[in-house]
Amino acid sequence: MRMTTEEAFVKTLQRHGIEHAFGIIGSAFMPISDLFPRAGITFWDCAHEGSGGMMADGYTRASGKMSMMIAQNGPGITNFVTAVKTAYWNHTPLLLVTPQAANKTIGMGGFQEVEQMALFKDMVCYQEEVRDPSRVAEVLNRCILQAKRRSAPAQINMPRDFWTQVIDIDLPEVVEFERPAGGETAIAEAAALLSEARFPVILNGAGVVLGGAIPASMALAERLDAPVCVGYQHNDAFPGSHPLFAGPLGYNGSKAAMELISEADVVFCLGTRLNPFSTLPGYALDYWPKAARIIQVDINPDRIGLTKQVTVGIVGDSKKVAEAVLAQLAITAGDHARTERKAKIAQVKSAWAQALSSMDHEDDDPGTSWNQRAREAKPEWMSPRMAWRAIQSALPRDAIISSDIGNNCAIGNAYPTFEAGRKYLAPGLFGPCGYGLPAIVGAKIACPEVPVVGFAGDGAFGIAVTELTAIGRPEWPAITMVVFRNYQWGAEKRNSTLWYDDNFVGTELDEGVSYAGIARACGLQGVQAGTMDALRAALTQALADQKAGKTTLIEALINQELGEPFRRDAMKKPVEVAGISKADMRPQVV
């Protein structure tokens, strides 16, 4: 068939059902963006490409459907770096389209030129550059398929002088693969271990959500009466109301989950790479069961046994593997001390729920007093935990929420539960600030009928605040955003209180800035809430207004209490040896 290169590109997007693109308009891809309206593709022109990439991540994570990131070659593309790496570790299949400087000028240091393939080399699962105009559809089709198969971003690099070429081309077929179901021997070994287990525990990861395996893991858990933990920031990987759900492991997670998994003799790790941060000690508990036999299921063989020693490794789809293991369990599987185990699960969960509901304040480490001083400085202000309890009481059960990196969002890790997957969008292990707002915008585009709420601390939100200038336009959906205002970079300040004698370098924010005021200046609704009752009422009203098409930003005014540091294992008290003095500073000679 005879067509232009841009027609071939857009027709290939259509064959894969890619209906949404996020970025900022640029001349390097205008030949295809000109066709987007006719093709049924919506271009969401954000305020910054980095936020646009996180919108794409939120869209795909909430819907399961691929979306696309695109911007001007050079500086527009470099702004995608953080978002692409975030999506990579979130296992999000995205299409990264990087228009490139023209072939005839590459290497001459021309306008907006940069090595775009090298830039994303370790951030995508696959990348390819179009070498000839006639191959544009072939390369694009392969990139999209690789992103789907590997559940990660894939990059196509397209020299801008390849547009508007007339070519003869056959559009490639879309060939989908079935996901592997695990090896027969490994499935049998896993079933045997679980059948003989005295205290089996299931640990669900992101693969359970991505693979639609929650019902399969539920059936397996119920057959064994095994408690189910979830990985860090994967609170939506098992129904929160289920009696076997123990909660999330890792940083500021569920103490109940930690206590239960510590007793396991067999742990069935389903759809998880067992990243080290998810199993760090918490609440002074070094809970990982070092003597337990570990079964790890992951679609990627490179990640099995990478961080923990495993007894059985299974390469396969979480749903298929869980169903296969369940089918091969012995008739007596789970019978050992079943009644006592169920009672233990209920007792530990109840004790943790009571403790969490009465946990108002953060403790100080011995020798430090910052949290006590913070309470005394603003006795009438909410603590972060008070704010999270108020939020939980107002959130609809079907809501999608996003979180951000930072101390106040981290304190909330133990609180949210969900009845379905694709409901909790957290920034993941790359840990970018500025994720909460764009991710929830992307989620609302994906699921317009579902209530959505984003969360961020005021430091992280400052990185994404420019998006308020974009999302107030009529074509953008209404969302609700909660910003925790304590006027500090909390995670870094916590490090300063513990290891640097309250030497607060770069941790303080401008108390004269009102994000609610900025929201109102952008044509949105902006309100402040300083008490639990006020926050609960503000969130309830904002959700009603969201349904009516109005976006609201809520500033939750909280005191400066600081929770557990992110990395006790990576920090230590500095030692002075040579000493540092201002007198040693030499002026520069210009």
Side-chain angles (χ1 to χ4, degrees), residues 52-133:
M54 292 178 188
M55 289 179 189
D57 185 68
Y59 171 89
T60 296
R61 290 178 69 187
S63 66
K65 299 177 181 178
M66 274 189 69
S67 56
M68 170 176 143
M69 305 160 61
I70 189 167
Q72 177 69 4
N73 65 275
I77 296 304
T78 61
N79 281 344
F80 275 142
V81 166
T82 297
V84 172
K85 191 65 173 182
T86 299
Y88 181 84
W89 285 120
N90 283 338
H91 317 292
T92 307
L94 293 175
L95 174 63
L96 171 63
V97 180
T98 56
Q100 179 60 286
N103 271 318
K104 63 183 178 181
T105 62
I106 286 179
M108 298 172 66
F111 184 60
Q112 297 182 321
E113 180 184 340
V114 69
E115 289 287 347
Q116 293 177 175
M117 295 287 280
L119 194 66
F120 295 100
K121 183 178 179 181
D122 75 336
M123 302 183 187
V124 295
C125 67
Y126 183 81
Q127 60 179 182
E128 188 172 348
E129 184 170 84
V130 179
R131 298 294 188 181
D132 184 89

Side-chain angles (χ1 to χ4, degrees), residues 96 98 117 124 126-131 135 138-143 146 154-159:
L96 171 63
T98 56
M117 295 287 280
V124 295
Y126 183 81
Q127 60 179 182
E128 188 172 348
E129 184 170 84
V130 179
R131 298 294 188 181
R135 296 185 61 192
E138 167 213 335
V139 174
L140 177 58
N141 183 65
R142 185 160 45 248
C143 287
Q146 290 286 5
Q155 176 191 9
I156 177 172
N157 205 53
M158 178 72 172

